[in-house]
Amino acid sequence: MRALLTFLLLATAPLLPALLVTPPAQAEEVVLGLSQDRVAITATFDGSEILIFGAVKREAPIATDAPLEVVVTVSGPSEPVMVRRKEREFGIWVNTDSVAVDSAPSFYAVATSAPFSDALSDTEDLRHKVSIQRAIRSVGATVEGAQAFTEALMRIREDRGFYTLQEEAVALDEQTLFRTALRMPADLIEGEYETRIFLTRAGRVISRYETVIEVNKVGLERFLFNLSREQPAIYGVLALVIAMLSGWGAAALFQMLRDR
């Protein structure tokens, strides 16, 4: 019996440190809040502003002089995009080269508490795909100068308000409380909008938090959207009837005004 106990102790001795040592608690982590976690798209929807706020929870004092920074991203559903180049030939504009972008977010916003390059190193950006350019995935493009097509897509969506980078737009109070507001344009598509919050020091990510904002059509918008997908013939007839009634109503109104 004693020999058996001795054998068991010797066999399990190497495992005792692993069993006794527990993983250390994360020194800093995010406690997050959202002004709203659902966005309803109605017939009169003209955009929305999402307030993202939170606090940094600390288990122990931080022994470093490197300031804490916060990076917030909101990403809409991704989709493949065909980007085409137009050139003028014989007096008319025609499509020439094209590049298929494998995956590009329909909406992407980044807000930081410091200049982007100070808040996040290039290595961490590559790892977490935070910047707008790295959120777009384009592989296998064989057209010469394919990067220019990705840049053109970014420029077009930035001009329309779908892609934004807001440096120093996150207010960080006493290295503990943070808040920022992100504007979402009117013509959003439905889906889950992934929201990520990164805590960084010296450009390195020390903690991250993820949540989701739901964007859905409601009311008349939902009815028309479902009808166009499920009953396209009825939707077409209804659209034609509405157009005819609108034309007739406008003509009747102008006739009434002219007769006065």
Side-chain angles (χ1 to χ4, degrees), residues 4-253:
L4 179 59
L5 290 174
T6 303
F7 172 77
L8 291 175
L9 287 173
L10 291 174
T12 58
L15 300 177
L16 287 176
L19 294 173
L20 295 175
V21 176
T22 57
Q26 196 165 14
E28 294 176 293
E29 58 182 349
V30 177
V31 180
L32 177 71
L34 295 171
S35 61
Q36 58 189 99
D37 58 4
R38 292 182 180 273
V39 175
I41 300 178
T42 63
T44 58
F45 179 75
D46 61 353
S48 179
E49 187 173 72
I50 303 295
L51 176 62
I52 300 173
F53 58 91
V56 180
K57 179 182 177 182
R58 294 183 175 88
E59 298 293 339
I62 305 301
T64 178
D65 293 331
L68 180 73
E69 303 296 350
V70 180
V71 180
V72 178
T73 71
V74 177
S75 177
S78 293
E79 55 191 2
V81 180
M82 180 66 70
V83 184
R84 293 181 173 86
R85 174 187 290 154
K86 289 182 177 289
E87 292 185 359
R88 195 177 184 87
E89 294 183 1
F90 305 106
I92 59 175
W93 290 96
V94 296
N95 293 326
T96 54
D97 297 327
S98 63
V99 166
V101 176
D102 301 88
S103 179
S106 56
F107 171 83
Y108 197 76
V110 184
T112 63
S113 60
F116 187 88
S117 58
D118 294 341
L120 196 70
S121 69
D122 190 65
T123 301
E124 293 288 79
D125 182 23
L126 179 62
R127 178 180 303 164
H128 296 282
K129 305 292 189 294
V130 176
S131 63
I132 296 174
Q133 184 172 2
R134 285 184 169 138
I136 299 173
R137 186 166 62 89
S138 179
V139 296
T142 57
V143 175
E144 184 179 354
Q147 181 60 30
F149 287 79
T150 302
E151 293 173 354
L153 174 63
M154 291 170 53
R155 184 172 60 252
I156 292 170
R157 292 194 170 180
E158 285 173 356
D159 292 342
R160 296 178 60 191
F162 286 105
Y163 289 173
T164 59
L165 170 59
Q166 303 175 38
E167 296 180 292
E168 301 181 87
V170 178
L172 181 58
D173 300 330
E174 301 296 332
Q175 295 282 286
T176 300
L177 303 175
F178 65 86
R179 64 187 182 279
T180 189
L182 295 176
R183 179 71 182 174
M184 305 180 82
D187 42 353
L188 293 174
I189 69 170
E190 285 190 293
E192 294 185 345
Y193 283 62
E194 179 186 6
T195 302
R196 299 182 296 169
I197 294 87
F198 298 91
L199 300 183
T200 70
R201 285 190 186 274
R204 186 175 63 88
V205 174
I206 59 174
S207 178
R208 63 179 288 175
Y209 180 94
E210 296 185 7
T211 188
V212 169
I213 299 172
E214 295 282 350
V215 175
N216 297 301
K217 293 182 173 70
V218 297
L220 180 61
E221 284 286 311
R222 165 56 60 187
F223 170 74
L224 293 176
F225 179 81
N226 290 340
L227 187 65
S228 67
R229 297 297 187 273
E230 299 170 4
Q231 301 288 341
I234 297 177
Y235 176 80
V237 172
L238 181 61
L240 181 61
V241 170
I242 292 175
M244 292 174 61
L245 290 176
S246 299
W248 176 83
L253 178 62

